[in-house]
Amino acid sequence: MDVVLVHPEIANNTGAIIRLCANTGARLHLVEPLGFSLDDSLLKRAGLDYHEHTTMVVHESLDAAATALPGRWWGFSSQATTRYTDAPIAADDTVVFGAERAGLEAGARHRIGADRMLTIPMQAESRSLNLANAVSVVVYDAWRRQGFPGAADPASAAVSATDAAAGEVGAAGDDASASDL
């Protein structure tokens, strides 16, 4: 699966998405202009050491991204009427998200097509989800539907008694501790 962020603005969000892509095997594509430098310390901090485990490509324009990713695209907007859970998002598809403040621009929505614009359900009084959260919801659900190809064996990722006694949670190398939860 390919994830496209069109004009992302917040380094922390993109860093979290880098980490998400590393953990799910998705490839990340950023469409310029970006609202931060790729050398930004916040981007690196949010992505931790996952940069080396992520395929990330920066494209000069949406046209350049479309040329590099010729398959089926799915766009996301809070104004779309089809839920992402009703779309047959496949492993070789591309999911496209807009900038944090503006969302996916009209030109991008038109390129993708109204029949492939999707939404993530929210409470009626809510406006939007954080970009990193929205991408996570969609990517993990699509990966789940595919049977989690490439995922670690759950038995090998189990918390050992030693780790639990030390206050660690999750798989080895996880940066969360019991005090973080």
Side-chain angles (χ1 to χ4, degrees):
M1 170 174 298
D2 290 281
V3 175
V4 174
L5 304 181
V6 180
H7 314 308
E9 301 166 321
I10 301 173
N12 286 357
N13 284 335
T14 301
I17 295 166
I18 288 170
R19 189 172 181 175
L20 167 76
C21 288
N23 280 291
T24 60
R27 294 161 301 277
L28 180 60
H29 301 263
L30 306 178
V31 176
E32 295 180 316
L34 309 178
F36 51 87
S37 162
L38 291 176
D39 294 327
D40 191 308
S41 62
L42 294 175
L43 175 74
K44 290 180 179 179
R45 182 175 178 205
L48 295 173
D49 59 349
Y50 287 86
H51 296 268
E52 63 196 50
H53 303 291
T54 305
T55 300
M56 185 174 77
V57 179
V58 178
H59 301 278
E60 292 181 2
S61 66
L62 191 59
D63 288 339
T67 299
L69 302 165
R72 184 169 60 178
W73 283 30
W74 298 98
F76 290 82
S77 170
S78 59
Q79 283 103 40
T81 58
T82 302
R83 291 181 175 182
Y84 78 96
T85 53
D86 295 331
I89 301 171
D92 58 347
D93 285 350
T94 299
V95 292
V96 185
F97 298 84
E100 286 87 344
R101 287 181 284 173
L104 203 52
E105 355 176 281
R109 291 192 312 266
H110 179 73
R111 170 187 284 278
I112 293 166
D115 62 324
R116 285 180 278 121
M117 289 301 301
L118 306 173
T119 192
I120 300 170
M122 296 179 286
Q123 295 292 311
E125 64 276 0
S126 297
R127 289 182 299 121
S128 64
L129 285 171
N130 168 279
L131 177 62
N133 292 339
V135 175
S136 295
V137 165
V138 171
V139 169
Y140 262 98
D141 184 63
W143 194 36
R144 177 193 61 79
R145 292 187 210 181
Q146 298 158 23
F148 297 114
D153 177 6
S156 67
V159 177
S160 72
T162 305
D163 291 340
E168 296 296 322
V169 218
D174 192 346
D175 66 339
S177 69
S179 63
D180 294 333
L181 300 178

